[in-house]
Amino acid sequence: SSKYSFKNGPWHTLAQGFINGKQVQTESKDIEKLGWGVGLGGRYKFEGGHSVQAQYYHIVGDQRIVSYLTQGSTSDGVAWGGDYSVDPIENELLLNRFDSAVLGYSHLFNPQWRANLSASFVNFDDDSDYAKANPESNKRLTDYVINAIYTPLKNIDLGAEYHHGQRESFDGKQADVSRVNLSAKYSF
């Protein structure tokens, strides 16, 4: 894996890529395939502490680089983590492929109050052999978040957050989720 970070004044950019070998032992042989991915992200800080952020990833066969994403495979009855599944007839690995993007805005009202807005999507390749073998796995995920964080004393943060997400699987099933999260943090 490789990562390049560049910071210049209010700009901060990050580019990363990786190649990762995948291996499974089946009854008849060991199967190997390469997973890979590339990502690009950036943040621009405005005067007063406000900022905008964006990230994009294209991943084949290994979703660990995208920290907010996990799914399991169903075709062979074992949760492989969503990176791949095994085609037992052809004795090959079926790699999952997807594109992901996150956009965000952070606003600093004053030293005690700040808030964030973000939107993200993940589109999985529905033409892949992985998708055909795993119809219950994710085809599309979207998530919208708004939060507020209050710092009443140095080292103490109290937060409230609202999430609204949508999921569509390869077989066309859809689900929505809405939730409220509360948090308290003390920084040592």
Side-chain angles (χ1 to χ4, degrees), residues 21-112:
K22 300 290 179 185
Q23 182 180 24
V24 172
Q25 295 176 344
T26 66
E27 291 180 14
S28 60
K29 69 176 185 174
D30 291 351
I31 307 170
E32 295 182 10
K33 219 168 199 180
L34 286 180
W36 62 275
V38 293
L40 181 64
R43 178 181 68 215
Y44 184 84
K45 281 190 173 184
F46 298 98
E47 297 278 331
H50 317 301
S51 64
V52 291
Q53 301 82 226
Q55 293 178 337
Y56 169 79
Y57 294 100
H58 177 75
I59 306 290
V60 177
D62 195 330
Q63 62 190 334
R64 289 177 294 170
I65 195 172
V66 183
S67 61
Y68 50 84
L69 183 63
T70 303
Q71 70 173 8
S73 299
T74 58
S75 70
D76 51 9
V78 180
W80 293 104
D83 296 336
Y84 58 86
S85 63
V86 177
D87 181 339
I89 297 167
E90 299 293 327
N91 268 332
E92 72 172 309
L93 293 182
L94 308 176
L95 299 182
N96 197 0
R97 295 190 307 253
F98 66 89
D99 293 291
S100 170
V102 178
L103 300 172
Y105 173 73
S106 298
H107 187 85
L108 182 66
F109 295 100
N110 58 49
Q112 288 185 302

Side-chain angles (χ1 to χ4, degrees), residues 5-26:
S5 181
F6 176 75
K7 199 171 189 178
N8 183 15
W11 282 104
H12 184 201
T13 57
L14 175 72
Q16 54 190 352
F18 72 90
I19 299 172
N20 188 355
K22 300 290 179 185
Q23 182 180 24
V24 172
Q25 295 176 344
T26 66

Side-chain angles (χ1 to χ4, degrees), residues 126-144:
D126 58 356
D127 291 328
S128 71
D129 290 334
Y130 176 91
K132 294 169 188 165
N134 296 280
E136 295 175 3
S137 289
N138 295 330
K139 175 183 176 181
R140 182 171 297 112
L141 302 170
T142 56
D143 190 42
Y144 306 97

Side-chain angles (χ1 to χ4, degrees), residues 114-128:
R114 62 190 185 276
N116 301 286
L117 295 169
S118 71
S120 65
F121 76 86
V122 183
N123 283 327
F124 294 87
D125 183 357
D126 58 356
D127 291 328
S128 71

